[in-house]
Amino acid sequence: MVNELEFEKPLVQLREKISELKTFTENSDVDLSLEIEKLESRLVKLEEDIYRNIKPWDRVQIARHPERPTTLDYINELFEQFVELHGDRLYGDDHAIVGGIAFYKGKPVTIIGHQRGKGTKENIRRNFGMPHPEGYRKALRLMKQAEKFNRPIICFIDTKGAYPGKAAEERGQSEAIARNLFEMAGLTVPVICVVIGEGGSGGALALGIGNHLHMLENSTYSVISPEGAASILWKDASLARKAAESMRITAPDLKELKIIDEIISEVRGGAHHGIKEQAQKIDAVLYKSLTELTQLTPEELVAHRHEKFQKIGSHSVLSEIL
């Protein structure tokens, strides 16, 4: 059983009531099947209502769910013969970013993604998915390798942001992110990016300069977290829910603003409720993107990427917001 979120509490309570009645019926001579049937019908309607009217803050909570599938989870489901590569050849290996080579439907690809941990020990090892500069330099090394051998690049984005610690800054965190933005813009192979959880600040953008940018339905993509925005705007991080409502950081908002290309629908309640089914949904979009992008020449791929990002923030889009 996965951990339930705050907005799912009515569902949890109703499921518990149904379970209690079923147990009571099994252990007594009282037939409560009619009452159970009514409650189960009510549960279906309640689920439909809750998940159809999900709020931005609820999506934030789903994106942060501790059991939400990670980059390695999707790699295991979507790709074959994955070989992880390590190190940036300058400082060391950053476990907050994983990357390597694999086969996708029989063709070689390079996969790079943020990697959160599951459980306290792994989260500490992977720095809660917040990369140091060597992580971004490892990612760039693998991207340039992919370009050399003409392999498409698939990036999975899932981070609160780049690690802001003193050591990371001393080793050139800002430069490493900026270098990735610059180099990714000019890559001559297809680049497909998928936001699978949180997409926070420059730490997410450093893996997000692609020809296609897709988002899972309950993911977020933003320059700052709702808590951070609330702290700046209202000096009160507890107003994060209010900030999430106004920031337009969810997939539907970003699709409307033409920042992302496609919304990948999720399993009801979130990807953590069915990783195999969720992987199939991602697979369909990945295949479509690769089929389209592999038809383009290297020059067309670069031009396509430039055109995509030049359109973001256009006057017409900004006027709709204002």
Side-chain angles (χ1 to χ4, degrees):
M1 175 68 70
V2 297
N3 297 324
E4 303 292 351
L5 299 168
E6 181 181 353
F7 72 95
E8 295 176 309
K9 285 182 179 178
L11 296 176
V12 176
Q13 294 169 356
L14 192 52
R15 289 182 187 129
E16 289 176 349
K17 183 64 176 178
I18 293 171
S19 178
E20 289 174 6
L21 292 181
K22 286 182 176 179
T23 301
F24 183 79
T25 299
E26 292 171 358
N27 299 326
S28 70
D29 297 328
V30 181
D31 184 7
L32 298 175
S33 57
L34 183 60
E35 287 77 5
I36 292 171
E37 185 178 337
K38 289 179 179 179
L39 288 178
E40 288 178 335
S41 177
R42 181 182 167 193
L43 177 63
V44 171
K45 293 179 180 178
L46 184 59
E47 283 182 336
E48 290 176 352
D49 183 59
I50 287 177
Y51 293 131
R52 184 174 58 247
N53 299 299
I54 195 165
K55 305 298 182 184
W57 181 245
D58 298 331
R59 294 190 191 278
V60 171
Q61 298 308 302
I62 295 175
R64 294 173 174 175
H65 197 286
E67 296 176 31
R68 191 168 177 85
T70 65
T71 293
L72 284 176
D73 290 327
Y74 288 124
I75 287 175
N76 290 334
E77 293 292 333
L78 292 167
F79 305 96
E80 297 178 344
Q81 300 181 43
F82 174 66
V83 177
E84 185 175 355
L85 302 175
H86 300 272
D88 66 344
R89 302 297 187 266
L90 291 170
Y91 180 82
D93 189 37
D94 187 346
H95 298 293
I97 285 186
V98 297
I101 307 166
F103 285 95
Y104 178 68
K105 300 189 185 302
K107 296 183 179 180
V109 295
T110 289
I111 312 161
I112 303 165
H114 301 98
Q115 180 63 32
R116 296 178 291 105
K118 291 187 176 180
T120 303
K121 185 175 181 180
E122 189 184 6
N123 262 316
I124 292 173
R125 174 172 172 258
R126 298 195 181 277
N127 202 34
F128 296 86
M130 296 185 291
H132 287 75
E134 50 269 23
Y136 294 114
R137 290 177 179 131
K138 173 171 69 172
L140 180 58
R141 179 175 75 83
L142 298 184
M143 291 177 195
K144 300 302 285 186
Q145 180 194 77
E147 183 178 45
K148 178 178 179 180
F149 293 102
N150 197 33
R151 291 192 298 264
I153 299 168
I154 299 169
C155 295
F156 292 108
I157 298 170
D158 185 15
T159 182
K160 296 178 183 295
Y163 185 62
K166 181 174 181 287
E169 296 295 345
E170 288 176 343
R171 295 199 296 275
Q173 184 73 289
S174 299
E175 189 277 336
I177 292 173
R179 177 66 59 181
N180 276 28
L181 304 184
F182 176 81
E183 295 288 355
M184 287 186 78
L187 290 171
T188 57
V189 294
V191 182
I192 301 169
C193 308
V194 183
V195 184
I196 60 173
E198 286 187 271
S201 194
L205 193 61
L207 295 187
I209 309 299
N211 295 95
H212 288 169
L213 173 61
H214 308 307
M215 281 183 72
L216 266 63
E217 181 182 356
N218 295 312
S219 294
T220 61
Y221 198 45
S222 173
V223 69
I224 194 171
S225 69
E227 291 88 348
S231 296
I232 293 172
L233 293 173
W234 305 299
K235 310 300 181 185
D236 187 355
S238 67
L239 296 176
R241 179 186 295 271
K242 178 181 177 182
E245 297 285 344
S246 61
M247 289 169 67
R248 307 192 72 179
I249 62 177
T250 65
D253 287 327
L254 296 172
K255 174 67 173 176
E256 182 183 342
L257 295 173
K258 300 179 181 177
I259 292 173
I260 67 170
D261 294 282
E262 285 198 40
I263 299 173
I264 302 174
S265 63
E266 290 196 27
V267 176
R268 176 177 284 187
H272 54 286
H273 285 282
I275 180 174
K276 290 188 179 296
E277 184 180 346
Q278 191 59 57
Q280 290 172 358
K281 293 175 182 290
I282 295 174
D283 183 41
V285 175
L286 274 183
Y287 181 73
K288 178 183 175 184
S289 280
L290 275 176
T291 301
E292 177 183 331
L293 294 175
T294 51
Q295 305 302 313
L296 302 180
T297 66
E299 294 77 16
E300 288 172 336
L301 285 167
V302 175
H304 177 278
R305 207 173 300 129
H306 285 188
E307 182 180 355
K308 172 183 174 60
F309 282 88
Q310 285 171 349
K311 287 181 178 178
I312 296 176
S314 66
H315 176 74
S316 60
V317 172
L318 289 175
S319 64
E320 291 177 11
I321 301 174
L322 300 174

